[in-house]
Every structure is written in structure tokens, then in C-alpha cells.
Amino acid sequence: MDGIERRIRSIVEEQFALARDEVTLQSKFYDDLGADSLDILEIVAEAEEAFGIEITNDEGPGIQTVGGLIECVRGHKPEFVDDLAYTNEDAPRRAGKLEAIKQAGARVLHALRIA
């Protein structure tokens, strides 16, 4: 499960007050989760905000399931968007990446000072 899937599932779980195991990729928003149009708008808006994307009205009819929303977001995502969609579970991994970037930057600055 990548960061996009984790974040979308988290959004859906929060919207409907469901446990993690109650939301699957095949869960249909209307039939399985009991969503209404306002729920869908809120979920899509939350996904747009979380990933810095804009889902068009033309794409809306294709978003019938949790998996459909995930695929829609993946279709929009630039290469770095997966790192934007993190949860608290990802914090140690992200902290490690940040530390590696800081160390690389320090080496570059040191090399520039020597030159």
C-alpha cells in the first residue's frame, strides 16, 4: 500500500467513521458506504487538498469506488506527490529522507567552501 492509497483510505475512514478493515479498494461509495453527493464532494475536496491536484467534473462519474478515486489521484500525480501524502506512520521514513538531504547539502556546501 503506497502513500496515496493510505491517505485516500484514511480520508474515507474518517468521513464515514469506519475502521480500517471496513474500507476496501472495491468499496462503492453509494452502495457499500452509504455516501450521498455531499459526502463525495467532501472526499474529493479532501483528496484534492491532500495531493495538490484538481479533479475535474468530467472525472467525477469514473469515481465510483475507493479504488477508482485512488486511480484518479494517481493519474494526476507528479512524481513527488506520493511523498506529500503521508500519515503519522510515514514520519520515521520521511525524517530519514530529510536527514539524508541535509547531509548531502552540507557536503555540497563544504565542497564549495574548499573550492
Side-chain angles (χ1 to χ4, degrees):
M1 180 182 318
D2 65 13
I4 293 173
E5 183 176 339
R6 271 194 305 273
R7 183 67 183 117
I8 294 295
R9 288 172 68 119
S10 175
I11 290 168
V12 173
E13 290 161 7
E14 289 174 23
Q15 180 72 24
F16 298 106
L18 297 171
R20 183 167 291 223
D21 62 343
E22 293 179 280
V23 177
T24 69
L25 297 178
Q26 295 77 29
S27 295
K28 295 178 182 176
F29 288 112
Y30 292 106
D31 297 338
D32 299 331
L33 303 176
D36 59 25
S37 57
L38 182 58
D39 289 320
I40 300 300
L41 288 174
E42 289 174 354
I43 290 167
V44 168
E46 183 89 18
E48 288 175 328
E49 185 177 323
F51 296 101
I53 62 170
E54 186 174 327
I55 298 173
T56 66
N57 290 339
D58 295 337
E59 296 170 294
I63 303 174
Q64 301 296 317
T65 65
V66 173
L69 178 55
I70 291 167
E71 289 309 311
C72 180
V73 170
R74 284 184 180 144
H76 282 270
K77 81 176 195 85
E79 292 303 311
F80 64 86
V81 81
D82 191 46
D83 281 342
L84 295 176
Y86 71 94
T87 62
N88 288 338
E89 298 167 5
D90 296 321
R93 176 184 61 85
R94 292 177 58 81
K97 280 185 176 180
L98 181 59
E99 187 57 35
I101 290 168
K102 285 180 182 177
Q103 289 174 3
R107 286 192 299 274
V108 168
L109 288 174
H110 179 70
L112 289 173
R113 285 187 197 127
I114 293 173

